[in-house]
Every structure is written in structure tokens, then in C-alpha cells.
Amino acid sequence: MARRLIPSLNRVLVEKIIPPSKTNAGILLPEKTTKLNSGKVVAVGAGTRDRDGQLIPVSVKEGDTVLLPEYGGTEVKLGEKEYHLYRDDDILGTLQD
Amino acid sequence: MARRLIPSLNRVLVEKIIPPSKTNAGILLPEKTTKLNSGKVVAVGAGTRDRDGQLIPVSVKEGDTVLLPEYGGTEVKLGEKEYHLYRDDDILGTLQD
Amino acid sequence: MARRLIPSLNRVLVEKIIPPSKTNAGILLPEKTTKLNSGKVVAVGAGTRDRDGQLIPVSVKEGDTVLLPEYGGTEVKLGEKEYHLYRDDDILGTLQD
Amino acid sequence: MARRLIPSLNRVLVEKIIPPSKTNAGILLPEKTTKLNSGKVVAVGAGTRDRDGQLIPVSVKEGDTVLLPEYGGTEVKLGEKEYHLYRDDDILGTLQD
Amino acid sequence: MARRLIPSLNRVLVEKIIPPSKTNAGILLPEKTTKLNSGKVVAVGAGTRDRDGQLIPVSVKEGDTVLLPEYGGTEVKLGEKEYHLYRDDDILGTLQD
Amino acid sequence: MARRLIPSLNRVLVEKIIPPSKTNAGILLPEKTTKLNSGKVVAVGAGTRDRDGQLIPVSVKEGDTVLLPEYGGTEVKLGEKEYHLYRDDDILGTLQD
Amino acid sequence: MARRLIPSLNRVLVEKIIPPSKTNAGILLPEKTTKLNSGKVVAVGAGTRDRDGQLIPVSVKEGDTVLLPEYGGTEVKLGEKEYHLYRDDDILGTLQD
């Protein structure tokens, strides 16, 4: 039952990144450093229309790693996977290494 | 008394999909997996006008399977059938297998 | 004293349809089936102006049978008859047999 | 001290019609039938400007008999006469015999 | 220290008219008849800009006698004189004899 | 550490004028007469954009003496000096002798 | 794990300036003088679109020293560094020596 969700309007579907609680060498990371609330963009909506009917595309794209607000987001379970749905305007920014 | 409802403006008429509580082989599905709140689009309104009088069509169409918000929606009984009416903006997205 | 009301702006004057509590054969209908809150459009306003002064006509017309919201509507008594006044945006849709 | 008020912007000056409590033949009318809250338009404002500076005229005119909302309206005493001031948008409609 | 205030944007500076409590012949006027809250326009702002940057002038002008709302208005003391500052939209209308 | 603040968008930086509590001849002024809340404009922002991207300049300029609202304004200390930051729309008007 | 955040829309990423509590000569500064809430702009979003789809750029740029409001701002930890995210409209102004 693998299902895909195409978000509507200016919504963004995100799969949250669970920050590692240990370093690669297995050392427990202090709880404080692993607080970054981020996720991978899985799908974006077609965008909304401004008052002249012009389409305003979503400002992030599939594959981006994005910084998420502390609150908000709608939980969506598709099969065994858990995603979160945000409005484009709620996404705080894009993370780059 | 089979009646049809043509939603007004940017409203969307949806028939909720009751998720199966058993697999085809009759095995009871754990309550948690069957929580997806979705439905079939039965009819859509003509859309609303932007401030320049341009028509902004509804972003989903008849036959789409859509993901519904946890709350909201107006219950509408037509004959023996039960539907729900949403605003286009409340629909979370379109589901594809 | 038969008086007529021409609704202002985007208001819609509706005469509520009292659903029959018995079938034609006189059998009492279970209370639940007769809950559809609908009415006949008696008159509509000229519409409102969008921000460019363009007229946005009302989306329903005289003679339409419309589905009404559970709440809202202003009661208007003209002579012995009782009507209800709604804003165009509050009308849920148009009913067709 | 007969004074005239020219309402500002989209305001409408109305003289309320006190419904007769007796028929012409002097028979007392049951309290319920005389509940129509209406009035005569005495003066209207020049209208408001839309966002492009275009003038949007008031939708009712001097001499119209209008249906008034149950609440609202600012009481204005000019000499011995009492009037009420409404916004154009609050007027429910125009009454015609 | 005679100072002048040029109101900003769509503000209107008004000097309230204190209604006479006696007739010219010195007879005390019943308290009720002297309730008209009016004033003389002393100065008006340059107006505000609509969303296209067009200037929307104030709808009343210096010298007009205007009807004031029961509440609101900012008290401004310039030297020994007391004025009140209103937004153009709060002025109820212009009074003419 | 003399620092300068360039207000952002439609903000206005004002240095409050402390009204003299004594006349030039040293006579104590009754507390009531010295209540005018005014200040000198020290710097203004570049203005905001209307919905078409047009720049709407601030309506007051550097050097103006302006009348300030009783409340509001953000206190800003630059070195030893104290200023207040207002939005253009909060400034009540310009004072001229 | 040095990570960079590109703020979305009209957001501004700021690194707060911790005001020195001592003069260069090591003398303790009275607590009151060191209250200026300012920071360095580290990154800005691409801006938002006005209703015609035109891009409205952020009004401050990377490297500016800006005056921050007393409240608001979202805390963002990137590696060991702490930043704050503001909306362009919340930034009070740009500080220049």
C-alpha cells in the first residue's frame, strides 16, 4: 500500500531527520546539542495564486534539507512512514553543509 | 429522492473513505494503522474570484482521492448517503497509489 | 401589504423548505432523514465590487434550491411570510434532483 | 436651527419608520406582526475609494425604504428629529411595495 | 507660544463646539437637546496612499462643521486651546444649516 | 562610541522634547500646561513598499517637530542619548510655530 | 558539522552582539549602559512576493549591524554557534558608528 501525497496549494511534505544521539564512535552526545528540528522535503504543492491569479511557487524544493519551526506541522502517516505537512511560510530556512 | 449538490464558490464535496479494519485475508488491522483521514472528491465549486474578478478554480477535481484535515468539514446528508463539505484551502493534498 | 425585499450587495433572500415529516402515503418519516437545511432563492443582491470596482455578481440565482449552513441567516418577516437573509459566501451549494 | 447632515464616506442617514400598532380601522395589531425594522434614506455619503482610488458609490439612494439590521446604527439628533446613521454594508436591502 | 499642528496622513484636527446651554433669550435649554457632538475642522492631513501609491485625500476640509462620534479622538492642547484629533474614517458627516 | 541608527522600513527615530517646567523668568509653570508630548525627528526609514512594490516614503522628515501619541514608541539608547522609535503611522502630526 | 542556514522568504539570520560589561581598561560598566540589543546579519532570505508576484527584497543585508526588538526572534543552534531568526519587518534599524 505504498502511497504518495501531493501536497495542495503551498503545503510542503517533510520527513523529519532524527538527530543522532551518539557520535559515529558511539559516544553519547549531550542531549542539548541534538536539538536542531530539521527534515527532508519529500514533496511540495503547486503553489498559491496571488490576487491577480499569478501562481506563486513554493520557495523550497524536493530534496532540500529544511529547518522546521518548534511547533506546528500536521502529522501524516503513509503506510509505515511518518511525515509532517507544513505551509511554505512556516519553513524557517534551508540547511546546507 | 436521489439529489445532487453543486458546491458553491471554492467548496469541495467529499465522500469519506472508511479505512478497512481487516486485511483481505480477514486479519484484524491494529487500530493505529487505519487512521488516514481521506475521501473521494464527488463535486467541486466553480471557484472564487480574485480581486480583479479573475476566477481562481478549485485546486482538486472530481475523482481525486484527497487527504482531509483532522477537524472541520460540514456534514451533508443527501438521501441515504453522507458527505462532507470542505473549503479548497482546507484539503491537505491528493493521494496517489 | 405584500412587500418585496431587494437584498443589498451580496445578500441572498431565501424561503426555507420545511422538509415533509410524512411520506406521500402518510407514513411518519424517522426524524433523522428530514434534517436537510435547504431553501428556495427568492431574490439576490446586485453583488459587491472587487477592489478595482468590478462588480462580482452573486453566485446563486432566483429559483435555485440551495443548501443552507446550520447557523446564521437573518430572519425577515414580510407580511405573513418568513424569509432568511444570507451572505452569498455562506450558501453551501445548489441542490439538483 | 433646522440642520442637515451630509454623511461621510459610505455612511447612510436613515429616518426609522415606526410601524403602526393599529390598523386603519383602529384595531390593535398583535405585537408580533409589527416587528419590521425599516426606515427611509434621508441622505447618503459620497462613497469610499477602492484600492485604486476609484469611487465606490453607496448602494442605496435618498428616498429608498430600507430594511435595517436588528442592532447597530448611530443615533443622531438634528433639532427635534431623530435619525440613525449606518454603514452602507449594514443595510440589509431595499423594500418595495 | 501660538503653535499650529499639521495632522499626519488621514488625521483631522477639530475644535469641539460647546453647545449653548441657554437660548439667546437666556432660557435654560433642557439638557437632552444640547447633546450634538460636533466641531469645526481646523486642519487636515495630506491623506493616505492606496496600494498603488495614489494619494487618497481626506474627505472633509478646513472650516467644515462635522458630526463627531461619541467616543474616540485624541486630545491635543496647543497653548491655551484644546483640540481633538480624529481619523478621517471616524468623522460621521458634515453639518450644514 | 557615538552611534547612529538608520530606522528600518517606515520607522521614525525621535528625540523627545522635555517641556520647560519654568517660564524664561523662572516662574513655575502649572503642571497641566506642560503636557504636550512632542519630539524632534532625528532619522527616518526608507519607507515601505505597497503591494505593487512601489515605495511609500515616510510622511515626516528629519528636523520636523512632531506630536507623539500618549503611548507606544520603542526606547533606544545610543551612547548617553535616549531616543524613541515610532512607526510613521503613529506620528499624530507636525508642529509649527 | 559546520552548517549554513539560508533563511526562507523575508527572514533574517542574526548573530547577537554581547555588549562588553567592562571598558577596554577593565573598568566594570554600569549594568544600565550595556542594554543595546543588537546583532550582526549573517544571512537574509530571498524576500517575499507582493500580490503581483513582484519580489520584495529584504531591507537589510549580510554584514549589517542591526538593532533588534526586545522580544521575538527564533533561537537557532548551528553546531556550537547560536543565532536568532527574525522577520525583516521586526528589525528596528541599522546601526552605524
Side-chain angles (χ1 to χ4, degrees), chain C residues 5 7 11-15 40-43 76 78 83-85:
Chain C
L5 174 69
R11 288 185 172 91
V12 178
L13 190 66
V14 172
E15 190 178 356
K40 198 88 157 170
V41 173
V42 172
V76 175
L78 293 174
Y83 300 94
H84 284 78
L85 208 55

Side-chain angles (χ1 to χ4, degrees), chain D residues 51-68:
Chain D
R51 354 143 283 110
D52 294 322
Q54 305 292 325
L55 194 70
I56 299 185
V58 171
S59 70
V60 294
K61 62 183 182 322
E62 214 177 296
D64 281 354
T65 305
V66 289
L67 184 64
L68 302 171

Side-chain angles (χ1 to χ4, degrees), chain A residues 13-14 19 31 33 44-45 54-55 64 82 85-87 93 96:
Chain A
L13 190 66
V14 172
E31 199 279 330
T33 56
V44 296
Q54 304 293 326
L55 195 72
D64 281 353
E82 194 175 275
L85 209 54
Y86 293 88
R87 290 276 187 172
Q96 292 183 343

Side-chain angles (χ1 to χ4, degrees), chain G residues 23-36:
Chain G
T23 64
N24 300 352
I27 301 158
L28 252 176
L29 281 168
E31 201 278 331
K32 209 162 47 64
T33 56
T34 59
K35 228 181 52 187
L36 204 59

Side-chain angles (χ1 to χ4, degrees), chain B residues 2-9 11 49-53 74-78 80 85 87, chain C residues 32-33 35-36 50-52 56-57 59 65 67 88-97:
Chain B
R3 305 189 77 174
R4 218 160 65 87
L5 174 69
I6 302 164
S8 64
L9 302 171
R11 288 185 172 91
R49 289 183 187 282
D50 67 21
R51 344 143 290 104
D52 295 320
T74 307
E75 205 188 278
V76 176
K77 284 209 69 176
L78 293 174
E80 287 316 307
L85 209 55
R87 290 277 188 173
Chain C
K32 210 162 49 64
T33 55
K35 230 179 53 178
L36 204 58
D50 67 21
R51 334 144 300 97
D52 295 321
I56 299 186
S59 70
T65 305
L67 184 64
D88 183 24
D89 195 59
D90 299 333
I91 305 282
L92 298 181
T94 312
L95 284 161
Q96 291 182 343
D97 287 311

